[in-house]
């Protein structure tokens, strides 16, 4: 499975296991802002919206996403009719 991270601010703690564990190569970060995450450029994708991120995932043949997040992410997904 892929680990997908959505961030509007791009503010992610690069020292966490999230970017250093065995799933590092299977991690994608979608961001609306610049980020300093230590991942290859093809794993950090600038997008304007969650819809654009979902379209990118679909193009990669990723069609099922389990979302774990707070009310902001859930609200955005609902607002965009993505769930």
């Amino acid at each position: 499975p892929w680990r997908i991270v959505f961030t509007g601010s791009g503010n992610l703690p690069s020292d966490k296991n999230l970017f250093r564990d065995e799933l590092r190569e299977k991690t994608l970060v979608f961001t609306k802002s610049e980020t300093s995450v230590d991942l290859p450029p093809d794993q950090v994708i600038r997008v304007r919206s969650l819809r654009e991120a979902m379209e990118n995932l679909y193009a990669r043949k990723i069609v099922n996403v389990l979302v774990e997040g707070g009310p902001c992410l859930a609200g955005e997904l609902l607002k965009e009719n993505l769930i």
Side-chain angles (χ1 to χ4, degrees), residues 7-12 29 31-37 44-46:
T7 175
S9 68
N11 186 15
L12 296 169
V29 174
T31 180
K32 292 181 180 180
S33 306
E34 290 291 325
T35 185
S36 61
V37 172
V44 181
I45 302 101
R46 285 285 296 269

Side-chain angles (χ1 to χ4, degrees), residues 26-57:
K26 302 265 315 184
T27 299
L28 297 174
V29 174
F30 289 93
T31 180
K32 292 181 180 180
S33 306
E34 290 291 325
T35 185
S36 61
V37 172
D38 183 28
L39 288 173
D42 63 325
Q43 289 178 242
V44 181
I45 302 101
R46 285 285 296 269
V47 293
R48 293 180 300 272
S49 67
L50 283 174
R51 180 167 300 283
E52 185 179 345
M54 292 298 186
E55 289 169 355
N56 184 292
L57 291 172

